[in-house]
Amino acid sequence: MYRIVVNGDPHVVDAAPATPLLYVLRNDLGLNGPKFGCGLGQCGACAASVGGKLTRTCSIALRDVGDDPIITLEGLGTLQRPHPLQKAFLEEQAAQCGYCSNGMIMAAKALLDRNPKPSDEEIKDALADQLCRCGTHNRIVSAVRKVAMEPVR
Amino acid sequence: MSVVRLSRRHVTQSLGVVLATFALPSPSVFGQVPANVPFSLRNNRRLEGWIRVEADETVTVFTGKAELGQGILTALAQIAAEELDIGFDKIRMVSADTSRGPDEQYTFGSQSVEQSGGAIRAAGAEARGILLAAAARRFGVRAEELQVRSGTIIAADGRRATFWALAKQSAGLLKGDIALATAPKKPGDYAIVGKSVNRIDLPGKLTGAPSYVQDMRLPGMVFARVVRPPRYGARLLAFDEAAVRALPGVVAVVSDGNFLAVAAGREEQAIGARDVLAASAHWSDDAVELPDMARLRTELKKLRAETIVVGSAGQSEPAPGQAKRVGAEYSRAYLSHAAIGPSCAVAWLRDGRMTVWSHTQGAFPLRGDLAKVLGMPNGEVDVVHVPGAGCYGHNGADDVALDAALVARAVPGAPVKLQWMRDDEFAWAPFGPGMAMKVEAALGSDGKIVDWSYDVWSNSHAMRPGQPGGVNLLAAWDLKTPFVKSPAPHIPQPFGDGDRNAVPSYELPRKEIRNHLLLDAPVRNGSFRTLGAHGNIFAIESFMDELAEAAGSDPLAFRLAHLGDPRAQAVLQAAADKAGWVPGKKGDGQRGRGLAFCRYKSIGMYAAAVVDVEVDRNSGVIRVPRVVMAADLGLVVNPDGAKNQLEGAIVQAVSLTLKEQVAFDRRQITSRDWSAYPVLTFTEVPSIDIVLMQRSDPSLGAGEGSLPPTSAALANAFAHATGRRLRELPMTPERVKAALS
């Protein structure tokens, strides 16, 4: 039994210690944000914030999470009250299939948390390890820039 | 039949348009009336098969096309709202579903707006006409005297009736066949079509609402994984079933011939069991000898081929003798779809019926092949489309649907979710075939082309399920009693297969174009975005630059001189103007600029690209700072959605031109993860300027046509920059360095 805190709520999870956090989030907690992309830590589709750090949840075991609070895409905003990044992605239509969007938004959130006014180059560098196959990169950069340009976040 | 609703209707209500995707509906039968009517109406004439005016003051629109991540459901909703004169937010879209939607075969070839849009436009106009006539009868006035505003019909004296009230009062009103009695609106009267609207599916996808087949959760669902052979041709000799069955959570081990799969209560248990199963499996040393990927151009030509002349002109006259003759050969590698999420399906066998939720491009064709393999009548199998990760053609979606159904048969009553692992996807999904192209041409004394000879060699790019003579599903070939592959279909010009866009749009007085359809297929192939058009346009447009140089002509002027179609000339000129094309300007050894043109499928969208490159001569890395694209799509339903498509295919084109090739040794596929199959990343993506031509002609489809000319223009830009030409794709640093040394 493991106790984890996800999006502010404590959960008790009955899963093997080596279980990748991704499957706990998706299947035990019913979250859809983090996606299985490669299971190898290469694509970033499964990203979430663990202890304030951008983390590939396919590659961290449940036993290693400890007390670190976990924030997923669902923890950022909702349909009715979207996070500024989610709102900007919508306004810029910064997706096609949307399967990578979770990782893009989580990585952008991590960037803006440490650097609220990034340049385009800094945005691209921060997202360089997040893969998109539909070719929506420029729209994603525009969406992140849009949030960074807002006077108050 | 009971209805299980896992719809996210409650969470998306505030968004207006609802996607009713996760539902188990009751079967329905649609009329089969052959007639001379819009393509998609031919086998689906019933009005309520397309449009239903619902009691809850919404309108459900059914399409046989699937949302592949390109926003097609949004564009179709716009068309329906336009013709019906109702609010866009009143539309609910239901996509490809064999149990309740029209059969529109496949979602492919950039034809959804044309085909499904044409049918929905006709159905919407028909429904509006019927409702207006009913209101006219009730009010005792002529229909022409009535107005429609947001689904409310208003008479001159102020009397009103809503669509919903009229439909409710007369149950049979909208249940007849579509008679095409009411003409659709004229483009000049459009209020919703032609406007950029936000995609209806993105709010859910960006906030973590269940949106994909990967997100489906059904009561009592188990998780499954497959263990595929190490290579084509290997046979399963033995495996340790007892050891796998003893693992925690395992509920089934399924083996049939060379097909091997495992199901468990938890996903990570299924993955762990897959590892144990794979480690315990012994496979025969059999292998299919694969081509030498370093010598693809010559290797492909060694395979048995069926040769057809697919275009010719002026052959009764002898080839001109006094002309300057030029020739070149080109190739492209095998390409992977490489969607970010591996293929996935949910299958559920209960009460003798098999329901499969799938991100297939062809729900009805897949249903037919599944039924054959499962030995069930078509009527007992349903396929419901649910989105998956990006779809750029015939990926693993259909294959994993059969995998899931085979496991579901072993655990009746339990829904089974089966997702491929990353290596399954990279090694086993169909590839876009490798291609070899050869061009020879002659220039007359006036600098114009007087003779043209073209050959293309590739396997069929059209190996989807649902074709006669066999079954095109991976696991079906591996069963103890295997099914044979369907033979490659013959797809005539102008659509073509490997020969798509092999016949140039240029005016050529004497030409012969031959397609060599390769009959031996050592590597598994399928449809990848644009089929053969990518390779053919790369070759033709590269060669046009080579000819222009031989003729001492500017690439833009040389093309314009050979194009008679004013729309083709217009996109070329628009792209050149936007980019600031300077005739005769030379590359400086590092920087260069290239141009290319394509009219996709010879009858689809027009596109012209101008691509800039910067070549690092030491590392061999090519950087693409900017792409300018001018496109004529005919009538554009959703301009921002169309731009998004054009941009996406441009980025994909740069990626596959610079980086992408499926890797294999002589026995097996070796590119099985993202490090072995790299794609373009944020720091490498060019800035993109799109010029959309303003047209009201019929829509031409936007999903693919920007890809081929981008690839060719990039190759031309490299040649312009360096004076050396790369005729093999991808243009890797190794090839660049070799070309510059």
Side-chain angles (χ1 to χ4, degrees):
Chain A
M1 293 285 194
Y2 289 86
R3 186 180 174 281
I4 58 175
V5 179
V6 181
N7 299 329
D9 298 325
H11 297 270
V12 175
V13 177
D14 184 11
T19 304
L21 177 61
L22 174 64
Y23 305 115
V24 173
L25 297 175
R26 288 188 59 81
N27 302 327
D28 294 278
L29 274 55
L31 298 169
N32 299 304
K35 295 278 190 284
F36 176 82
C38 62
L40 307 166
Q42 293 178 335
C43 74
C46 63
S49 167
V50 179
K53 279 178 59 181
L54 184 66
T55 302
R56 307 231 148 147
T57 61
C58 74
S59 301
I60 178 173
L62 180 59
R63 66 167 166 255
D64 295 331
V65 173
D67 296 331
D68 286 346
I70 298 159
I71 305 288
T72 71
L73 184 71
E74 290 87 346
L76 297 191
T78 62
L79 274 173
Q80 285 73 24
R81 295 175 57 85
H83 184 274
L85 275 166
Q86 290 166 319
K87 199 161 153 279
F89 269 61
L90 265 179
E91 287 165 358
E92 296 296 317
Q93 294 286 287
Q96 281 187 28
C97 81
Y99 201 88
C100 73
S101 301
N102 167 73
M104 297 299 173
I105 294 172
M106 296 311 295
K109 170 77 164 55
L111 167 67
L112 295 179
D113 284 350
R114 67 172 186 271
N115 177 6
K117 299 284 175 198
S119 66
D120 279 10
E121 294 315 305
E122 288 170 326
I123 295 170
K124 290 176 187 174
D125 283 343
L127 298 176
D129 292 334
Q130 304 287 135
L131 299 182
C132 163
R133 178 57 162 163
C134 296
T136 59
H137 305 72
N138 291 339
R139 286 170 180 256
I140 292 170
V141 172
S142 296
V144 179
R145 185 198 304 130
K146 190 168 198 168
V147 176
M149 302 280 279
E150 284 169 9
V152 182
R153 277 200 306 113
Chain B
M1 185 176 196
S2 68
V3 174
V4 175
R5 281 209 179 273
L6 298 173
S7 134
R8 52 187 191 281
R9 181 164 299 173
H10 61 292
V11 286
T12 54
Q13 236 155 17
S14 61
L15 299 164
V17 181
V18 169
L19 300 175
T21 47
F22 302 173
L24 268 187
S26 55
S28 61
V29 178
F30 293 93
Q32 301 281 312
V33 186
N36 185 21
V37 294
F39 183 82
S40 284
L41 288 183
R42 286 177 199 166
N43 295 318
N44 306 284
R45 266 322 261 290
R46 291 271 299 281
L47 180 54
E48 67 168 355
W50 295 94
I51 284 177
R52 259 195 342 229
V53 177
E54 307 284 7
D56 65 352
E57 304 222 331
T58 62
V59 171
T60 305
V61 176
F62 298 89
T63 171
K65 301 296 183 182
E67 179 58 69
L68 305 180
Q70 305 185 333
I72 193 58
L73 295 188
T74 306
L76 296 176
Q78 282 179 271
I79 291 171
E82 183 70 65
E83 291 301 331
L84 285 162
D85 269 325
I86 62 171
F88 184 57
D89 60 350
K90 295 287 188 189
I91 304 280
R92 292 179 179 185
M93 295 300 301
V94 174
S95 82
D97 182 341
T98 62
S99 71
R100 58 175 175 165
D103 179 359
E104 294 192 79
Q105 291 288 299
Y106 306 95
T107 304
F108 68 4
S110 303
Q111 299 173 115
S112 297
V113 165
E114 189 186 319
Q115 293 181 354
S116 205
I120 289 168
R121 182 175 290 124
E126 183 99 356
R128 184 179 183 273
I130 290 170
L131 290 161
L132 269 173
R137 282 194 299 277
R138 183 203 282 193
F139 297 152
V141 299
R142 292 189 306 128
E144 293 74 30
E145 296 166 30
L146 299 172
Q147 287 191 326
V148 186
R149 272 188 226 136
S150 302
T152 299
I153 300 173
I154 307 164
D157 59 8
R159 282 179 292 169
R160 288 161 182 257
T162 69
F163 285 0
W164 296 278
L166 288 164
K168 195 175 171 186
Q169 279 156 20
S170 177
L173 196 61
L174 298 169
K175 295 207 185 294
D177 283 354
I178 297 171
L180 300 170
T182 306
K185 287 186 186 174
K186 295 187 177 67
D189 296 330
Y190 285 161
I192 301 170
V193 167
K195 300 277 186 300
S196 290
V197 302
N198 282 351
R199 288 258 303 270
I200 59 178
D201 53 332
L202 288 188
K205 288 174 177 171
L206 293 171
T207 52
S211 305
Y212 304 89
V213 67
Q214 286 89 348
D215 299 335
M216 285 188 69
R217 299 177 185 88
L218 294 170
M221 188 174 80
V222 300
F223 296 86
R225 289 294 185 274
V226 281
V227 174
R228 296 241 109 93
R231 62 193 158 268
Y232 302 130
R235 288 175 296 112
L236 181 61
L237 302 176
F239 67 97
D240 190 346
E241 182 168 347
V244 177
R245 280 196 184 277
L247 293 170
V250 169
V251 296
V253 177
V254 182
S255 80
D256 184 340
N258 302 314
F259 177 77
L260 199 50
V262 60
R266 293 182 58 93
E267 191 162 16
E268 71 277 9
Q269 291 170 334
I271 294 167
R274 174 194 189 252
D275 294 342
V276 174
L277 193 54
S280 84
H282 292 279
W283 302 90
S284 74
D285 197 43
D286 296 303
V288 174
E289 191 187 350
L290 302 182
D292 177 354
M293 67 175 282
R295 302 173 57 250
L296 210 50
R297 202 163 63 198
T298 46
E299 293 273 295
L300 288 175
K301 291 185 199 167
K302 290 184 197 160
L303 301 173
R304 288 184 308 131
E306 177 189 290
T307 297
I308 301 176
V309 175
V310 296
S312 75
Q315 293 295 311
S316 57
E317 299 294 317
Q322 293 299 313
K324 183 174 183 179
R325 299 199 81 87
V326 188
E329 294 194 45
Y330 305 84
S331 70
R332 78 149 200 194
Y334 290 86
L335 298 173
S336 180
H337 295 268
I340 299 301
S343 298
C344 181
V346 175
W348 194 358
L349 178 64
R350 51 169 202 167
D351 306 330
R353 291 185 69 82
M354 180 72 80
T355 305
V356 180
W357 290 265
S358 162
H359 51 107
T360 177
Q361 287 180 278
F364 284 85
L366 172 60
R367 189 251 297 263
D369 269 19
L370 286 176
K372 276 191 217 170
V373 178
L374 299 171
M376 297 171 75
N378 267 2
E380 290 174 10
V381 179
D382 274 317
V383 176
V384 181
H385 182 268
V386 185
C391 175
Y392 322 106
H394 175 202
N395 54 24
D398 299 296
D399 298 320
V400 76
L402 175 58
D403 292 350
L406 290 171
V407 177
R409 206 163 56 169
V411 289
V416 174
K417 176 152 76 182
L418 196 157
Q419 185 166 19
W420 280 2
M421 299 302 281
R422 177 45 58 192
D423 57 341
D424 295 325
E425 190 78 21
F426 268 130
W428 290 96
F431 300 121
M435 296 174 67
M437 291 74 65
K438 181 181 176 189
V439 208
E440 285 175 4
L443 289 167
S445 54
D446 60 352
K448 289 191 72 171
I449 302 166
V450 292
D451 195 14
W452 180 277
S453 166
Y454 186 86
D455 294 272
V456 54
W457 292 261
S458 85
N459 284 119
S460 175
H461 302 234
M463 299 303 291
R464 295 174 186 280
Q467 296 171 29
V471 168
N472 282 343
L473 293 170
L474 183 56
W477 310 325
D478 267 336
L479 300 179
K480 195 159 54 198
T481 309
F483 290 79
V484 297
K485 287 178 199 178
S486 305
H490 284 106
I491 308 175
Q493 288 286 327
F495 303 100
D497 181 346
D499 58 322
R500 179 167 292 180
N501 278 106
V503 180
S505 297
Y506 299 107
E507 295 187 332
L508 304 168
R510 190 175 193 279
K511 64 184 173 186
E512 186 167 278
I513 294 100
R514 290 163 296 271
N515 179 34
H516 308 273
L517 171 67
L518 302 179
L519 303 173
D520 304 316
V523 175
R524 188 186 180 205
N525 301 295
S527 302
F528 179 78
R529 209 172 193 171
T530 81
L531 308 194
H534 172 241
N536 290 319
I537 291 294
F538 162 63
I540 292 169
E541 289 296 294
S542 292
F543 194 65
M544 284 299 282
D545 263 31
E546 299 198 49
L547 283 175
E549 192 181 345
S553 180
D554 182 72
L556 174 63
F558 187 73
R559 283 175 174 80
L560 290 174
H562 287 89
L563 281 170
D565 182 344
R567 291 173 76 174
Q569 295 181 328
V571 291
L572 261 168
Q573 197 62 58
D577 290 348
K578 178 75 179 175
W581 182 266
V582 180
K585 189 180 176 189
K586 300 278 177 229
D588 66 1
Q590 288 182 317
R591 275 164 300 193
R593 166 171 279 192
L595 179 82
F597 165 75
C598 170
R599 183 173 191 195
Y600 184 49
K601 294 185 288 190
S602 305
I603 54 165
M605 67 172 269
Y606 299 80
V610 176
V611 173
D612 291 343
V613 297
E614 291 171 10
V615 182
D616 183 328
R617 301 181 70 98
N618 293 322
S619 67
V621 171
I622 301 171
R623 215 175 74 76
V624 181
R626 186 184 185 209
V627 175
V628 172
M629 165 78 47
D632 176 350
L633 313 173
L635 174 74
V636 179
V637 176
N638 184 350
D640 186 66
K643 274 185 70 186
N644 205 341
Q645 282 310 295
L646 300 177
E647 290 162 11
I650 289 167
V651 173
Q652 219 166 57
V654 174
S655 183
L656 47 98
T657 305
L658 296 183
K659 298 191 163 197
E660 297 185 30
Q661 57 182 330
V662 175
F664 39 85
D665 56 27
R666 302 309 291 269
R667 283 168 62 84
Q668 60 202 340
I669 306 296
T670 54
S671 48
R672 293 177 180 236
D673 67 13
W674 290 110
S675 66
Y677 194 91
V679 296
L680 212 65
T681 62
F682 274 88
T683 53
E684 301 163 317
V685 167
S687 75
I688 298 171
D689 287 317
I690 305 273
V691 182
L692 277 187
M693 310 300 274
Q694 300 296 317
R695 307 284 305 193
S696 56
D697 315 70
S699 302
L700 296 175
E704 301 168 277
S706 64
L707 187 151
T710 303
S711 207
L714 207 175
N716 287 338
F718 176 81
H720 181 245
T722 63
R724 304 290 176 89
R725 184 163 285 278
L726 290 173
R727 297 188 181 88
E728 290 174 296
L729 298 185
M731 294 160 42
T732 56
E734 294 71 34
R735 282 181 173 153
V736 168
K737 282 191 278 188
L740 296 181
S741 66

